[in-house]
Amino acid sequence: MEARGAGLRRVLVLGFCVAGIWSAYIYQGVLQETLSTKRFGPDGKRFEHLSFLNLAQNVVCLIWSYIMIKLWSSGSSGGAPWWTYWSAGITNTIGPAMGIEALKYISYPAQVLAKSSKMIPVMLMGTLVYGIRYTLPEYLCTFLVAGGVSTFALLKTSSKTISKLAHPNAPLGYGLCSLNLAFDGFTNATQDSITARYPKTSAWDIMLGMNLWGTIYNLIYMFGWPHGIGFEAVQFCKQHPEAAWDIFLYCLCGAVGQNFIFLTISRFGSLANTTITTTRKFVSIVVSSLLSGNPLSTKQWGCVAMVFSGLSYQIYLKWRKLQRSQKKRKPM
């Protein structure tokens, strides 16, 4: 009975994590798309300063992580010092800003698909720079994702979707997404290096350090001179409180979503988290298509299926690799 009860609790916790990640990030995607396409107020102005979302997100997550550390930290030292995050903070400031700015030029479903192809630059860098050899199934995953994203980009976007974009420009939008992936790769590698040097570093420590430097860099960039875009963004929010409320909810969703990601990784591992976040991206595209008025053609849905087939196969390969490694660890 105890084992059955423990199994039921584990299933309930997993369901809680799935619900938390899906609800937080799907709603955040809706808000992100709203802020990038909606015309606010009687004057019908767009919120042009999308990179301001990164500063707001940094500030909210900085406060949130500080509170979590004070509430849950045991007070043990040994974590990475705050200054070690300065370089990762630079790429973590530039990369997401490019990803958000891409929404001025391409639709939200296109942006989600493009950002789902993170494995492509990782494998290219691994092959060309480090001489890593990948298996045929891994190349197949990459082919499916790259082929799906490329074909989606080449297909004609509906006029209804184009009319909602601030400055339709597919090459520029996909280029910004590619740079976003490149900077994210450096950020992840730097974070891995920090946790390897300081094993006692908690997820909250990383969140605090990254968002501290992100806040500093974004404040300098947006408010460092008299006519910085931060002043214009704040003025826009004063004139359109609805936009300010959407920005606050956007940031809150990001902070809550991080909580559920940390909980998922700590209880079920990174593979479970990858599976949940990947399926969440697919649902986000469906929600955007149905609720936000971004109709996709049959061919475009085929491209979406192609990309997520590749991502799902990649998750399956990781699961098989994990199962084999666990079998090897079992004592004879």
Side-chain angles (χ1 to χ4, degrees):
M1 289 296 291
E2 286 184 12
R4 185 179 297 177
L8 179 61
R9 282 195 299 272
R10 187 172 172 82
V11 170
L12 290 174
V13 172
L14 180 60
F16 181 61
C17 291
V18 172
I21 291 174
W22 276 31
S23 58
Y25 285 111
I26 289 172
Y27 186 49
Q28 188 184 47
V30 171
L31 291 167
Q32 188 180 57
E33 189 171 5
T34 299
L35 286 163
S36 64
T37 59
K38 185 177 178 180
R39 294 183 181 274
F40 292 92
D43 51 356
K45 284 188 176 180
R46 292 180 183 270
F47 183 68
E48 293 282 352
H49 312 293
L50 295 179
S51 56
F52 181 76
L53 294 177
N54 283 338
L55 173 60
Q57 180 83 86
N58 287 147
V59 172
V60 170
C61 287
L62 176 64
I63 296 169
W64 186 282
S65 58
Y66 179 79
I67 293 171
M68 291 296 106
I69 288 173
K70 289 299 180 182
L71 287 177
W72 305 108
S73 178
S74 59
S76 59
S77 58
W82 64 272
W83 50 265
T84 56
Y85 298 95
W86 72 269
S87 60
I90 294 174
T91 52
N92 196 48
T93 300
I94 300 172
M98 289 182 170
I100 290 178
E101 285 291 324
L103 288 173
K104 292 180 181 179
Y105 311 105
I106 56 176
S107 67
Y108 180 73
Q111 185 228 34
V112 172
L113 272 190
K115 291 176 69 176
S116 298
S117 57
K118 189 178 289 188
M119 68 173 74
I120 298 172
V122 170
M123 289 186 70
L124 279 174
M125 290 293 289
T127 304
L128 299 176
V129 179
Y130 300 106
I132 299 173
R133 291 190 176 183
Y134 297 95
T135 63
L136 183 60
E138 287 174 323
Y139 281 116
L140 177 61
C141 292
T142 306
F143 171 76
L144 286 170
V145 173
V149 173
S150 302
T151 308
F152 189 97
L154 292 172
L155 290 173
K156 185 179 179 181
T157 306
S158 71
S159 56
K160 185 178 180 182
T161 300
I162 292 175
S163 66
K164 294 172 66 177
L165 300 176
H167 311 287
N169 189 329
L172 180 56
Y174 283 107
L176 287 170
C177 287
S178 299
L179 290 172
N180 172 219
L181 292 177
F183 280 111
D184 278 355
F186 181 84
T187 301
N188 293 336
T190 308
Q191 285 179 343
D192 290 342
S193 173
I194 290 171
T195 52
R197 280 184 290 153
Y198 303 95
K200 293 184 179 180
T201 303
S202 69
W204 296 119
D205 292 330
I206 295 174
M207 190 174 178
L208 181 71
M210 295 295 291
N211 285 290
L212 172 63
W213 283 104
T215 301
I216 293 170
Y217 294 141
N218 274 310
L219 281 173
I220 293 171
Y221 168 62
M222 295 184 188
F223 296 94
W225 47 83
H227 300 290
I229 64 171
F231 296 107
E232 296 177 12
V234 171
Q235 187 63 29
F236 185 94
C237 290
K238 286 180 179 178
Q239 295 172 353
H240 306 90
E242 185 184 354
W245 179 246
D246 284 345
I247 291 171
F248 173 73
L249 290 177
Y250 170 87
C251 299
L252 194 61
C253 285
V256 171
Q258 284 292 323
N259 268 327
F260 283 105
I261 284 176
F262 293 156
L263 177 61
T264 303
I265 293 173
S266 64
R267 294 292 186 91
F268 305 100
S270 59
L271 183 59
N273 179 65
T274 302
T275 306
I276 295 168
T277 53
T278 299
T279 51
R280 187 276 303 172
K281 290 175 182 176
F282 179 79
V283 175
S284 291
I285 291 176
V286 175
V287 169
S288 175
S289 178
L290 297 178
L291 299 183
S292 301
N294 287 318
L296 300 181
S297 66
T298 305
K299 291 180 180 179
Q300 286 177 317
W301 277 118
C303 295
V304 172
M306 191 173 174
V307 170
F308 284 95
S309 295
L311 294 175
S312 300
Y313 190 35
Q314 184 194 38
I315 291 169
Y316 170 70
L317 293 175
K318 287 182 179 179
W319 176 79
R320 268 182 39 183
K321 189 175 181 181
L322 183 65
Q323 292 293 104
R324 285 198 297 266
S325 64
Q326 288 175 344
K327 284 180 181 179
K328 288 179 181 179
R329 289 176 191 167
K330 285 183 180 179
M332 296 297 291

